[in-house]
Amino acid sequence: MRFKKWLFLSLGMVALLGLAACGTTSNKSSNSASNSTTSGSLKNVKYTHAVSYYRGGTAYTGTVKSLKLNTKKYTTKTITVNKKKIKVRCYTNVSYVSKPVDSKYQTMNIYIPESYFHNKKVNGYTKNTAPYFMTNTVGGYMSGAAGGLTSSGNGGGMKKPSGSKTMKLPAKPTGKKSGKGNGLNANGGASSTESTQKALSEGYIVAAAGARGRDDKKNSKNVGKAPASIVDLKAAVRYLKYNASRLPGNTNRIVADGTSAGGALSTLLGTTGNAKDYAPYLKAIGAADTSDDIYTAVTFAPITNLDHADSAYEWEFGGITKLSSSGMPGGPTTASSLTTKQQAASKELKKQFVTYLNGLNLKDDNGNKLTINSDGTGTLATLLKKKVMESAQTALDNGTTIKASKYPWLTIKSGKVTDVNLKKYFKAIGRSKTAPAFDSFDLSAGENNEFGTSTVASKHFTSYSQSNSTKKTTSQADSTIVKMMNPMEYIGTSQATVAKHFWIRYGEKDSNTSLLIPTLLSQKLKGAGVDVNYKVQWNTGHAGDYDLNALFKWLNKNMK
């Protein structure tokens, strides 16, 4: 009898423990998606093409590099931020993959406040709780080197893309600074120095990651075409997580920051965590077998949603035939106005956007379906007006003088912004790109170059431009690769783990893509239950890493 009682109690305890175990999950497992790789695992990933396909047409013949951080190999530097000296431990030129395609770019610099190695706190963070701030210097979808601690050691640079004789350099970006810095390097990506130093002063560990881009060439092969840049940054995230026990800080609190094309990449990092689509590419370059989801994405001026960016651009700038400036980033045009064929394309693309938007089933902040009519009216237009009005009102409240003569598209009464004439506003900004803006008929846009292959310099990535091409072309870019470069394809699906928080900023004067692009991104994220802080920055062009005090105040609130 005692034995039966003991057995009954034992089985009961086992059952209770089992139930407790089922009811207790880590943050990582509770956020994982059913169709994403299990915690990002690469163990059982199989290739459907030759391994070289996933490596830009190259094979790896060198020694497999260790993914374990050599914690003894570092230097120390002292920087001054806001008159305060900060001693930093620097792990530089760290290879974040074991089988690199291009060691020049597939490296990372890790900067850690020295205080953490002496059990001291920085801004309330400890060696166990410090978040990671991951930067990239990618602009124009060109290669970006790992960012430096000071301006003299910063990544990025102006050079002509390889593999395209007709490709022109992007014009140097402009944009009024908001607070300190407009955060741009020569290619239009983030310079990263100011944000890096700010992050360190706030107690963050900085991981400045390099990444291959469309201009990268090795052994006569184009090794940085899509999706190389996002694959590399995912591998950098995995390296940090793989080395969590060797590094201070909390690698479950990674913030990814980027501007322009780099902003598109930080957006992709935040929306495609552990997605299966990227797994064979990661395995082929020797990425760590762990997860690549992040906690927060910070994106400035994102050049994203490329397969719908042409139609969005023409919805905004359709009817405007004169170019106000050269396009950037990407291959800018030297034309001063649209040709007859381009004007016709603009009208067709504008119609395409109406169909695209109305099929997205997005909602505004009040739960109303976002719609647009052929005449430009609709709830989406109302939302755009609201974002621009909020931008102007914030500027007014902060003491900025806004004269009606300079902004005739804006209505202000008694210090309050009451209306925006969108048509006049778009005309005042002016178009900076011809039609199509991104998938150019003559394959001259930087984005055409981005969707090339290891042996083909540039490709069309929309069926519309493919059918209207003025060049003898090969097949259209692989639809799966186009998908992998578009965050909208993953948000709200079971394909990936999406970051919990997004900070999105777009300049009120920016014409490098349409204001619709970050707005639709924001609304889709909100619809998926993501915390989004999205604003249009007044009197700002194509710029990044501005308003850093507000950014880190928001980040810290979400971290602690």
Side-chain angles (χ1 to χ4, degrees):
M1 192 72 181
R2 285 184 179 179
F3 173 79
K4 289 183 178 180
K5 186 176 182 181
W6 173 85
L7 181 61
F8 175 81
L9 289 172
S10 298
L11 290 172
M13 287 297 293
V14 169
L16 287 171
L17 287 170
L19 287 171
C22 291
T24 305
T25 57
S26 66
N27 288 336
K28 200 171 291 184
S29 62
S30 64
N31 291 332
S32 62
S34 59
N35 284 348
S36 60
T37 55
T38 305
S39 298
S41 176
L42 304 177
K43 184 178 180 180
N44 297 318
V45 170
K46 295 181 179 179
Y47 300 116
T48 56
H49 301 277
V51 177
S52 59
Y53 172 87
Y54 304 99
R55 297 176 46 83
T58 66
Y60 187 71
T61 58
T63 303
V64 176
K65 296 177 179 291
S66 173
L67 290 178
K68 293 182 179 180
L69 176 69
N70 184 348
T71 57
K72 296 181 180 180
K73 188 179 179 180
Y74 65 89
T75 59
T76 56
K77 291 184 179 180
T78 300
I79 59 173
T80 302
V81 182
N82 294 329
K83 299 181 180 180
K84 182 179 179 181
K85 291 187 180 298
I86 303 171
K87 191 174 182 180
V88 182
R89 184 172 295 195
C90 311
Y91 295 94
T92 57
N93 199 35
V94 176
S95 177
Y96 54 70
V97 291
S98 64
K99 302 175 183 177
V101 176
D102 191 342
S103 297
K104 179 179 180 181
Y105 296 113
Q106 291 174 303
T107 60
M108 177 165 51
N109 298 329
I110 305 173
Y111 305 113
I112 308 172
E114 183 67 22
S115 295
Y116 293 139
F117 296 96
H118 304 281
N119 292 317
K120 294 181 180 179
K121 292 183 178 181
V122 181
N123 191 33
Y125 295 117
T126 69
K127 66 179 181 180
N128 296 320
T129 63
Y132 278 74
F133 190 77
M134 194 171 116
T135 65
N136 76 75
T137 62
V138 173
Y141 286 100
M142 294 173 71
S143 304
L149 185 58
T150 59
S151 57
S152 61
N154 193 42
M158 181 74 85
K159 63 177 181 176
K160 190 166 184 173
S162 302
S164 178
K165 294 181 180 179
T166 60
M167 194 64 58
K168 296 180 179 180
L169 290 172
K172 189 172 183 178
T174 59
K176 185 174 180 180
K177 297 180 180 181
S178 175
K180 293 184 178 181
N182 68 357
L184 295 175
N185 61 33
N187 288 337
S191 66
S192 82
T193 303
E194 189 175 348
S195 62
T196 290
Q197 294 191 1
K198 174 65 174 176
L200 288 166
S201 72
E202 293 283 340
Y204 289 63
I205 296 169
V206 174
R212 291 170 293 160
R214 61 185 173 88
D215 57 321
D216 197 4
K217 208 173 184 73
K218 297 285 286 186
N219 300 323
S220 300
K221 298 289 186 180
N222 305 315
V223 296
K225 303 299 187 182
S229 295
I230 181 59
V231 169
D232 284 355
L233 294 181
K234 281 176 167 287
V237 170
R238 286 167 172 264
Y239 182 88
L240 294 174
K241 293 190 175 187
Y242 181 78
N243 284 282
S245 63
R246 301 174 189 90
L247 287 164
N250 183 357
T251 56
N252 287 321
R253 290 292 185 271
I254 295 177
V255 178
D257 172 39
T259 296
S260 192
L265 294 176
S266 65
T267 301
L268 280 169
L269 280 176
T271 54
T272 64
N274 309 322
K276 285 183 177 180
D277 290 338
Y278 307 87
Y281 295 88
L282 289 162
K283 185 174 182 177
I285 60 175
D289 193 3
T290 183
S291 61
D292 55 52
D293 55 297
I294 63 170
Y295 189 67
T296 300
V298 174
T299 176
F300 292 90
I303 304 296
T304 191
N305 197 355
L306 296 176
D307 39 330
H308 299 288
D310 285 328
S311 62
Y313 202 84
E314 297 314 318
W315 185 89
E316 181 168 335
F317 296 110
I320 302 172
T321 60
K322 300 290 185 181
L323 270 67
S324 59
S325 61
S326 56
M328 187 278 149
T333 178
T334 56
S336 59
S337 60
L338 301 188
T339 65
T340 300
K341 182 177 181 179
Q342 289 168 343
Q343 291 180 47
S346 174
K347 292 178 181 179
E348 291 182 29
L349 287 165
K350 187 173 184 176
K351 292 178 182 177
Q352 288 181 21
F353 179 77
V354 174
T355 302
Y356 168 63
L357 182 279
N358 291 333
L360 284 177
N361 295 314
L362 298 180
K363 295 182 179 180
D364 64 16
D365 294 341
N366 296 317
N368 302 308
K369 184 178 178 179
L370 283 181
T371 59
I372 202 71
N373 303 313
S374 57
D375 63 357
T377 61
T379 53
L380 177 60
T382 302
L383 178 61
L384 291 180
K385 290 173 67 171
K386 177 184 175 183
K387 299 310 294 185
V388 178
M389 289 169 63
E390 288 175 350
S391 177
Q393 189 64 57
T394 298
L396 282 172
D397 294 343
N398 289 335
T400 300
T401 300
I402 300 178
K403 296 182 179 180
S405 58
K406 188 176 180 181
Y407 300 97
W409 44 268
L410 196 62
T411 302
I412 302 174
K413 295 180 180 179
S414 302
K416 298 295 181 182
V417 180
T418 59
D419 195 21
V420 167
N421 184 312
L422 282 181
K423 188 173 182 180
K424 291 182 178 179
Y425 167 56
F426 296 151
K427 187 175 181 179
I429 298 171
R431 74 158 57 233
S432 59
K433 298 180 179 183
T434 55
F438 300 92
D439 192 354
S440 176
F441 288 156
D442 63 1
L443 292 174
S444 64
E447 290 75 18
N448 290 124
N449 195 229
E450 165 70 356
F451 283 107
T453 67
S454 61
T455 57
V456 178
S458 302
K459 278 195 172 191
H460 289 299
F461 51 93
T462 64
S463 56
Y464 179 74
S465 288
Q466 178 81 8
S467 62
N468 287 278
S469 181
T470 60
K471 297 286 186 179
K472 291 182 179 179
T473 64
T474 58
S475 60
Q476 189 174 321
D478 187 297
S479 60
T480 300
I481 292 177
V482 177
K483 170 194 173 186
M484 291 167 68
M485 298 303 291
N486 190 344
M488 299 287 281
E489 296 286 346
Y490 296 88
I491 302 166
T493 73
S494 60
Q495 299 177 57
T497 306
V498 178
K500 290 181 177 293
H501 310 282
F502 271 77
W503 172 280
I504 304 172
R505 291 294 182 271
Y506 192 76
E508 170 259 320
K509 297 171 69 175
D510 197 348
S511 64
N512 285 280
T513 190
S514 168
L515 176 61
L516 291 161
I517 297 300
T519 302
L520 296 185
L521 171 65
S522 172
Q523 295 309 123
K524 186 150 191 178
L525 285 166
K526 288 180 180 179
V530 178
D531 170 43
V532 180
N533 187 314
Y534 168 49
K535 292 182 180 179
V536 176
Q537 196 77 8
W538 181 255
N539 199 31
T540 299
H542 200 65
D545 285 349
Y546 47 73
D547 207 8
L548 291 178
N549 288 336
L551 169 60
F552 279 92
K553 182 178 180 180
W554 177 80
L555 287 174
N556 290 333
K557 180 188 70 173
N558 293 330
M559 295 295 175
K560 296 179 179 179

